Amino acid sequence: MTFPLRRSPRHRHTPSTPCTSSCWRPQLLQPDEIEPLLINFWARRGESAQRLAAAGRSNTGAQARDAMHMQSMASFVRQMFIDAGLDPHDVLLDHSVPGFYRRSKEWDVVAMRRGHLVGVVELKSQESSPGNNANNRIEEAVGSAVDAHTFQEYSGLYGDLGVWAAWCMTFNLNCEGGSPIGYKFNRVPLFPVDQEFEPMTYASQYATAIQRFIATNVYNAAWMLTTWVNPDKSIGYNEPVPTATAATLRTQIEARVHFALQVLG
C-alpha cells in the first residue's frame, strides 16, 4: 500500500486512559502466575539448546531466533488483552504491522478492535552473551517504537487510537557475574556518562532503560523479569522496575482496552 506523506495529529505520546467508570476494576495478579511461566521458560530453553546443538546450530543467534521458550510469556500477555474484554480472534500472536522506516515489523502480540490497532507488545529475553547483544536489544526497542509512531503520524493507517506499545524483557541473571561492566578496550566515552549507569551491570542497564521507556513515553507499558536457577535447581525471579511489573502491565492493558471499547464500542 502506498500512502501520501501527510502530517496527522501527533500520536507520539499516547498515555493509557484511566477508567473513571464504576463498572470496571483492575484485575489483581495472582501470586502464583509468574512462576509457571518461568518453569516453562527454563524447560523450553534447555530443550531448544539441545535441539539446536543436535542440528549444529548452537550459537546465540540461532537460540534467539528459535524463541520457543518465550511462547508461554506471549500467551500470558495475550490473555491479558482478552481478560480485559477483547475478542480472542482480535488478539494475535506473531503478526506484523507496516512500518515507516522498514516495510513491516513483527510483534509478539498484536491487539485489534474493529479494524483499529489497540496495542502491540514485544517480548525479548537475554539468556546468554549480554556483552554482544544487550546494547543492540535496547537500540532495537527504541527503533521499533519510533518506527510505529512515525508510521501512524504520517499515515494514520493504524486507526483512531494512536500507537500503544509495550516492551518486555526476561533476563537470565546466571549469564553475568554481577560485577560492574567496564568499557570495551577501556575506551572511556568522550563526554561525561550519565551517573545512573555508573557502576553498571547488563541487568541494571536494562532496568534503567525500561524505567526510562516508561518515564519518557517511548513505551506505554513494560515488564522486566530477572530470573536465575539456584544451586538446588529451584527457579528464582525478581521484578526490579516498580513501573514495569506483570501487575502494572496488566493494569495498563486493562485501561487501554477499556478506552478502546469506550471509543469503538
Side-chain angles (χ1 to χ4, degrees), residues 192-210:
V193 172
D194 186 336
Q195 289 303 298
E196 190 70 21
F197 296 108
E198 299 288 2
M200 185 200 86
T201 65
Y202 290 113
S204 71
Q205 179 174 254
Y206 272 124
T208 298
I210 288 170

Side-chain angles (χ1 to χ4, degrees), residues 17 36 50 55 75 105 123-125 152 161 174 205 242 249 258:
T17 302
Q50 293 176 7
S75 297
K105 156 69 179 171
L123 295 105
K124 290 292 189 182
S125 65
Q152 176 66 6
L161 303 180
N174 293 129
Q205 179 174 254
L249 177 63
H258 190 74

Side-chain angles (χ1 to χ4, degrees), residues 160-206:
D160 294 342
L161 303 180
V163 175
W164 186 99
W167 198 78
C168 308
M169 165 56 63
T170 301
F171 185 88
N172 171 18
L173 277 183
N174 293 129
C175 74
E176 70 171 355
S179 300
I181 306 301
Y183 293 103
K184 190 173 183 179
F185 305 123
N186 292 319
R187 292 173 181 167
V188 178
L190 298 176
F191 299 95
V193 172
D194 186 336
Q195 289 303 298
E196 190 70 21
F197 296 108
E198 299 288 2
M200 185 200 86
T201 65
Y202 290 113
S204 71
Q205 179 174 254
Y206 272 124

